[in-house]
Amino acid sequence: MKRLLLCLSFIFSYLSFSPAGAQGWPANYDGVMLQGFYWDGFADAQWSRLEKQVDNLSTTFDLVWLPQSGNCGGQSMGYDDLYWFPGHYDSSFGTEAELRSLISTFKAKGIGTIADVVINHRKNATNWVDFPKETYKGVTYQLLSTDICADDDEGRAKNEAAKLGLSVSSNKDTGEGWNGMRDLDHMSANVQTNVKAYLHMLLEDLGYVGFRYDMVKGYAPSYTKIYNEDSKPQFSVGECWDSSNTIKNWIDGTGKTSAAFDFQFRYTVRNAANNGNWKMLAAQNEGNWPLISNNFSSGNYRQYAVTFVENHDTEYRSASAQQDPIRKDTLAANAYLLAMPGTPCVFFKHWQSYKQEIANMVAVRKAVGITNVSKPTPMATSEDYYAIQVAGSGDKKLLCVVGSKADGYTPTSNAWKKVISGYHYVYYVSGIEPSAITLPELKEDEQPHEGEFNGVPSFCTVGEGEICAFFEAPVAWGSQIFTWAWMKGGGGEAYLGTNWPGVAATLLNTADNGNKVFKWTSAKTTAPDYIIFSGGGSQTADLPFQNGGYYNKDSWKATVTPSSVESVAMSSQQTNQYYDLQGRRVNPANLKAGIYIKNGRKIIVR
């Protein structure tokens, strides 16, 4: 009996310090997450469209992080949140019904959805200090002017409230201030009541499994602890962009009820890729640099590391913005990410570009049994490559080699066997035969949504030596499209010899979907580095230029159309005959899709 009482005492003591579901992030977790959107990616991140991709997504991902899903009063990525409760969930990404269907479909396929939780600040309804009143399950929720931090917007909120005969909180912000919207006073009982109800709704009503907390540097980490211990999400990760020490302290401040994004991991990978110096990855494993994913000297925080190499805030969006994207070797960056401990989070644009290769990487990772607490061991390093092994389950190990000469590195032990490889990356495994690893066979994606690029129209041709680009413009952009092009380090004025919005493009024809297709041709002999298309008050992002590229406003992609070949001398007997690129004559009745030569010019058969 005494032994039983001691055991019960231990259990109760354990439970009192370990609230169920408030563990921050599970230990030994082998899942992989996808960020299911990118900045201004409203078309690709539609709830209905993501749902149609569930079969491919479920082969690779265990979690999908969705953008903030409440209505923000207009087109928005969700970071200017206005409404928190159902009844106002028709957002820029779809309707509330479509959101519920997506979450349910994902759950049935084994994918958990992560909600983007924006509670540092909130958008006002009609003036500087008012918030919407919402009724949910018979209870009315509303933030008040007194829920705004005393020092919000350097005191302007206080002054604006006074003009209306109102006041703000007497408490100053417990974190970093932000002047974009009203900073919430999390010391307020009313704020805590509203936030707790909101989080319970996300989990218990909409069906999310966890939270991605936005801008957690804006309020003390102790409040994340309060909210997580109350709502008990399965997963919690905070956006705390800073030094390793700051992030570690933030995790500690939450009582380890939350993981954090490993920003230092991302910075190190970016530097190695952009500089072409893969030796820079070695810093990941020296002393307590950089952060939590490989920090051996100050405790194991790998469990709480959500690693990534790109996200919606770091991706390239415009030449004037201060993003710091990975500009090359995206595949190698992802290969390193998906071999390492922590919980990897793949960026949506990277998945769109390299679905099969990323799916293969994840399949190898899971077959080896790598988790968020697996141990990495550096093997070899130089400017041209970096090799690191990661222990999986049992005797299984994965050796990842990345770099410009990744293929030139050969493991010294015969136990290592190559399993997959690609541009600047190689995976080797030991303790498991490559034949025992099943690589997924992805299905063909759904047909693109209306207006999206779906092949280059046949009338888009490129002349010999011509510098040009094509743009498929939505009808709403009007009948005149302007083009602005420039070189790195120089404005468009220098390249085009004119002012914004640049030069008018020429209307070519109408695409199959009804959109107008325009062509811009440069008078220069040197191609620009970037290009923008505009019309009707709308414009694209700053797009990397590809000669002969076919651009579309939704996907911001360029697909190079085949250019003409130099004139080929032909006899009169060869006129109007078809030849393949090897010079063999082809019966026109048997032409398959491809590129052929006729009358000395290259043609495309679709």
Side-chain angles (χ1 to χ4, degrees):
M1 178 63 71
K2 185 176 180 180
R3 180 177 299 174
L4 175 61
L5 290 173
L6 286 172
C7 288
L8 288 173
S9 175
F10 173 78
I11 292 171
F12 292 144
S13 174
Y14 175 80
L15 290 175
S16 68
F17 288 99
S18 303
Q23 59 187 342
W25 207 273
N28 297 302
Y29 183 65
D30 67 352
V32 177
M33 184 161 70
L34 172 72
Q35 179 178 359
F37 63 98
Y38 55 90
W39 198 264
D40 288 341
F42 299 110
D44 285 341
Q46 288 291 304
W47 309 140
S48 58
R49 191 168 187 215
L50 288 174
E51 184 174 353
K52 292 176 182 177
Q53 300 173 48
V54 67
D55 288 334
N56 276 351
L57 294 175
S58 62
T59 65
T60 302
F61 301 107
D62 306 272
L63 300 170
V64 174
W65 158 26
L66 298 181
Q68 196 281 124
S69 50
N71 187 296
C72 297
Q75 188 176 66
S76 169
M77 290 301 298
Y79 296 108
D80 54 344
D81 53 327
L82 179 62
Y83 293 102
W84 283 359
F85 294 96
H88 297 97
Y89 264 71
D90 290 352
S91 71
S92 298
F93 302 97
T95 66
E96 179 179 325
E98 290 170 336
L99 172 65
R100 290 181 182 275
S101 178
L102 167 64
I103 293 173
S104 177
T105 299
F106 274 15
K107 182 178 179 181
K109 286 285 189 175
I111 300 175
T113 46
I114 301 294
D116 208 325
V117 174
V118 184
I119 55 174
N120 169 71
H121 53 266
R122 196 171 179 187
K123 186 177 182 178
N124 299 109
T126 64
N127 59 49
W128 262 74
V129 294
D130 71 335
F131 300 95
K133 181 183 293 186
E134 300 178 82
T135 300
Y136 175 64
K137 291 188 175 181
V139 180
T140 298
Y141 297 95
Q142 184 178 28
L143 296 180
L144 307 174
S145 65
T146 50
D147 294 321
I148 300 171
C149 294
D151 52 350
D152 179 59
D153 213 346
E154 284 83 41
R156 183 174 178 184
K158 181 179 179 179
N159 294 334
E160 294 294 333
K163 293 177 184 178
L164 300 169
L166 300 171
S167 61
V168 297
S169 173
S170 60
N171 300 317
K172 291 187 176 182
D173 203 330
T174 59
E176 295 183 7
W178 185 59
N179 296 342
M181 264 153 274
R182 305 291 72 74
D183 281 359
L184 302 182
D185 173 22
H186 287 270
M187 297 176 69
S188 162
N190 187 48
V191 169
Q192 293 186 24
T193 296
N194 276 257
V195 170
K196 288 177 180 178
Y198 172 46
L199 298 182
H200 276 282
M201 181 279 299
L202 291 173
L203 296 174
E204 299 158 14
D205 189 344
L206 292 183
Y208 285 103
V209 300
F211 309 135
R212 178 265 184 188
Y213 285 104
D214 177 68
M215 199 174 172
V216 296
K217 294 170 66 176
Y219 52 99
S222 57
Y223 297 106
T224 300
K225 180 178 188 291
I226 289 172
Y227 300 139
N228 279 347
E229 288 184 342
D230 180 76
S231 58
K232 298 178 175 57
Q234 296 178 50
F235 304 91
S236 171
V237 56
E239 181 204 25
C240 184
W241 65 96
D242 215 311
S243 66
S244 300
N245 232 25
T246 299
I247 300 174
K248 175 183 175 294
N249 290 339
W250 182 84
I251 293 171
D252 289 339
T254 72
K256 293 187 176 177
T257 64
S258 185
F261 283 105
D262 192 341
F263 276 84
Q264 296 302 321
F265 179 99
R266 190 263 164 188
Y267 297 149
T268 305
V269 176
R270 175 209 59 197
N271 292 342
N274 287 353
N275 288 287
N277 182 358
W278 298 94
K279 198 171 186 177
M280 298 176 79
L281 289 178
Q284 284 280 23
N285 305 284
E286 294 175 358
N288 30 355
W289 171 266
L291 173 65
I292 44 185
S293 56
N294 306 307
N295 189 338
F296 302 120
S297 64
S298 58
N300 184 0
Y301 280 75
R302 296 195 294 276
Q303 173 182 342
Y304 304 103
V306 177
T307 53
F308 71 105
V309 295
E310 203 80 287
N311 69 19
H312 63 294
D313 284 326
T314 65
E315 64 169 312
Y316 179 86
R317 298 212 302 270
S318 70
S320 59
Q322 298 300 311
Q323 290 85 12
D324 54 354
I326 294 177
R327 299 184 181 277
K328 57 182 179 179
D329 279 321
T330 302
L331 265 175
N334 278 278
Y336 183 72
L337 167 74
L338 292 167
M340 294 294 280
T343 298
C345 182
V346 175
F347 185 43
F348 195 67
K349 282 187 176 179
H350 294 177
W351 169 249
Q352 287 179 310
S353 299
Y354 305 108
K355 288 186 178 71
Q356 189 63 60
E357 291 192 80
I358 288 175
N360 291 347
M361 294 172 189
V362 174
V364 175
R365 174 189 180 90
K366 291 191 173 184
V368 173
I370 294 173
T371 73
N372 58 352
V373 296
S374 293
K375 182 178 179 180
T377 303
M379 300 293 286
T381 182
S382 75
E383 287 193 6
D384 298 325
Y385 63 82
Y386 182 70
I388 188 167
Q389 74 171 28
V390 184
S393 59
D395 295 329
K396 293 182 286 189
K397 295 178 182 178
L398 169 61
L399 173 61
C400 170
V401 188
V402 292
S404 57
K405 294 184 179 178
D407 279 330
Y409 172 83
T410 303
T412 56
S413 171
N414 292 330
W416 293 109
K417 297 180 180 179
K418 183 186 291 188
V419 58
I420 59 172
S421 63
Y423 185 72
H424 290 179
Y425 76 90
V426 184
Y427 274 10
Y428 300 87
V429 293
S430 68
I432 181 174
E433 289 297 321
S435 59
I437 300 175
T438 302
L439 302 181
E441 296 182 8
L442 302 184
K443 298 180 180 179
E444 185 175 345
D445 271 343
E446 59 153 341
Q447 287 298 308
H449 57 83
E450 183 179 358
E452 182 177 339
F453 165 72
N454 188 23
V456 179
S458 58
F459 54 77
C460 294
T461 59
V462 184
E464 179 184 347
E466 184 179 25
I467 296 173
C468 66
F470 303 90
F471 179 64
E472 181 188 310
V475 175
W477 286 36
S479 59
Q480 190 171 34
I481 296 297
F482 290 92
T483 305
W484 183 254
W486 72 98
M487 307 292 289
K488 291 179 181 177
E493 299 93 339
Y495 185 86
L496 294 172
T498 185
N499 297 319
W500 174 265
V503 297
T506 302
L507 176 63
L508 280 187
N509 210 324
T510 302
D512 293 340
N513 55 24
N515 289 339
K516 301 296 183 183
V517 179
F518 293 79
K519 181 178 182 180
W520 167 77
T521 301
S522 175
K524 304 283 187 180
T525 57
T526 303
D529 293 313
Y530 297 100
I531 192 168
I532 294 176
F533 300 97
S534 64
S538 299
Q539 68 181 68
T540 67
D542 296 359
L543 308 172
F545 180 80
Q546 269 187 301
N547 193 34
Y550 186 89
Y551 294 83
N552 171 272
K553 70 104 180 168
D554 284 327
S555 55
W556 313 126
K557 292 179 181 177
T559 301
V560 176
T561 58
S563 61
S564 301
V565 295
E566 295 180 3
S567 297
V568 179
M570 290 186 166
S571 65
S572 58
Q573 289 83 7
Q574 293 174 315
T575 303
N576 293 323
Q577 301 297 326
Y578 291 81
Y579 294 85
D580 65 19
L581 296 184
Q582 285 72 46
R584 296 170 298 199
R585 184 175 173 181
V586 182
N587 186 339
N590 298 326
L591 290 182
K592 298 180 180 179
I595 303 172
Y596 300 88
I597 297 173
K598 180 185 179 184
N599 295 335
R601 309 297 292 174
K602 184 181 292 184
I603 66 168
I604 306 169
V605 175
R606 300 180 182 278

